[in-house]
Amino acid sequence: MADFRLAAEPRTEFGKGSARRTRRAGRVPAVLYGHGQAVQHLSLPAREFAAALRNGGTNVLLTVTLEGTEHLALTKSIQRDPLTRVHEHVDLLIVRRGEKVTVDIPIITTGDVAPETIINFELNTISIEVPATSIPENIEVDISGRAAGEGFAAADLPLPEGATLLTDPEAQVIGFLAAPTAEALEAELEAAEAEAGIEREESDADGDVVPEPQDQGSGESMDSAEKSS
């Protein structure tokens, strides 16, 4: 697992106004805690922190330098703006090399399933206990040739060396379903339209829409009407 180094700066001002000024300066407000140490308020360089997450994943291991002291830390909580996705605040947990930590690891798949089969994720992550310096970025599952009715439980997944599974071993992580037929999709669409009160226009054998019958009146032509008058 890569170790990313970030130069932190102490924070002595707090509150929303201070946090906004910190972000405008290109830094992310954060707190650092763990192993009985007092909570330390600091800021991280926003660009370098975003790059660490992008390249190391959400469980990235950081070496945070603060006032000449290095701290090995994991990101435990990240607050993002829901619209801009800007990092607004970060909680960092101090860890030690060789120490085991509990983390949630994303599941990704490789390979292609059997024809007319679709994949169904029951869980997107699993929880494991693993040495802090050996946290995997993700867990790969080969789904090549898998068909409807098959699946992977948590116990079936390949774990990194030294990791202990904490998720229920029998929990279904990935399942495989038969792809719906065109007829089934059409029936599902018709049922949804009927439930929504949508009526389809009738069509003739060639698929053309049949127009609604028009009121023909008495059937007399304009000429006949003029003559009779």
Side-chain angles (χ1 to χ4, degrees), residues 200-216:
R200 292 191 175 188
E201 294 181 326
E202 296 181 359
S203 60
D204 61 17
D206 296 326
D208 296 327
V209 174
V210 178
E212 293 292 332
Q214 301 294 321
D215 184 3
Q216 301 299 321

Side-chain angles (χ1 to χ4, degrees), residues 107 126 136 138-142 152-161 163:
I107 307 299
I126 61 168
N138 51 58
I139 293 178
E140 289 188 0
V141 181
D142 185 3
F152 288 91
D156 299 325
L157 304 185
L159 299 183
E161 184 176 354

Side-chain angles (χ1 to χ4, degrees), residues 111-131:
D112 298 316
V113 296
E116 300 182 353
T117 302
I118 57 176
I119 184 172
N120 178 44
F121 275 96
E122 299 287 346
L123 296 175
N124 292 312
T125 63
I126 61 168
S127 181
I128 64 173
E129 186 182 59
V130 66

Side-chain angles (χ1 to χ4, degrees), residues 97-193:
R97 295 190 182 278
E99 175 186 5
K100 286 195 171 186
V101 294
T102 298
V103 289
D104 292 333
I105 306 298
I107 307 299
I108 65 171
T109 59
T110 60
D112 298 316
V113 296
E116 300 182 353
T117 302
I118 57 176
I119 184 172
N120 178 44
F121 275 96
E122 299 287 346
L123 296 175
N124 292 312
T125 63
I126 61 168
S127 181
I128 64 173
E129 186 182 59
V130 66
T133 54
S134 302
I135 301 173
E137 187 173 340
N138 51 58
I139 293 178
E140 289 188 0
V141 181
D142 185 3
I143 60 173
S144 300
R146 295 289 177 168
E150 298 183 298
F152 288 91
D156 299 325
L157 304 185
L159 299 183
E161 184 176 354
T164 301
L165 179 66
L166 299 181
T167 298
D168 180 357
E170 297 182 1
Q172 182 82 349
V173 179
I174 302 174
F176 301 94
L177 307 173
T181 63
E183 292 77 7
L185 290 174
E186 179 66 17
E188 185 177 341
L189 178 59
E190 288 184 1
E193 289 177 344

